[in-house]
Amino acid sequence: MNGGRDWFCEDPKQQLVWAAATSETLRVLEGKWKIVIIVQLFAAKVPLRFSELEKRIEGVNQKMLIQQLKELEKDGIVTRTVYPQVPPKVEYALSAMGVALGPSIEALIDWAFARREAMGLASADVAG
């Protein structure tokens, strides 16, 4: 899925395009809870209700979770489905663009473990 990129390209303009694309992606994902939300939705494999997401994300408050979910929805990473019933039922799931983040998230996890190992850091809080 690399679009035929030549990483040895010496064209400074192309390198700037790649840097800008990377920065744009990181801006979409920045925020203390966005990656946690995305990983929880991947792990669930099914849409989750707000209360279930809240239970799975230790330390997040309702206001912050709502804000982060709204931003992820606006950026096309998460879908929000409201069911017309009383009380209202709302579910969150990864959109196609969210699912497409899977290989990148996996690569970042692998990189984090490799970095920790190379630096001799303990990974006590991280399971592989």
Side-chain angles (χ1 to χ4, degrees), residues 3 11-13 20 24 26 33 42 44 48 54-55 61-64 66 69 71 73 83 107 113 115 117-118:
D11 178 1
K13 288 181 182 163
E24 176 186 337
L26 292 175
W33 302 104
F42 266 116
L48 294 177
E54 192 176 26
K55 279 186 225 164
N61 63 46
Q62 268 192 2
K63 180 181 176 186
M64 183 57 66
I66 290 167
L69 283 165
E71 289 176 17
E73 183 182 12
Y83 295 92
F113 286 137
R115 178 181 170 271
E117 188 176 315

Side-chain angles (χ1 to χ4, degrees), residues 19-99:
T22 303
S23 293
E24 176 186 337
T25 301
L26 292 175
R27 274 192 304 277
V28 168
L29 299 177
E30 75 183 348
K32 182 175 181 179
W33 302 104
K34 288 183 181 177
I35 297 292
V36 179
I37 292 166
I38 291 166
V39 169
Q40 287 299 327
L41 290 172
F42 266 116
K45 297 180 179 59
V46 295
L48 294 177
R49 293 183 77 162
F50 180 86
S51 59
E52 183 60 31
L53 260 176
E54 192 176 26
K55 279 186 225 164
R56 289 172 177 238
I57 303 174
E58 190 174 314
V60 71
N61 63 46
Q62 268 192 2
K63 180 181 176 186
M64 183 57 66
L65 183 55
I66 290 167
Q67 177 189 337
Q68 299 279 274
L69 283 165
K70 281 183 180 180
E71 289 176 17
L72 286 167
E73 183 182 12
K74 178 182 69 90
D75 287 323
I77 308 299
V78 167
T79 60
R80 178 178 185 264
T81 305
V82 181
Y83 295 92
Q85 63 185 55
V86 178
K89 178 181 171 184
V90 179
E91 289 183 336
Y92 295 90
L94 292 172
S95 66
M97 290 305 297
V99 171

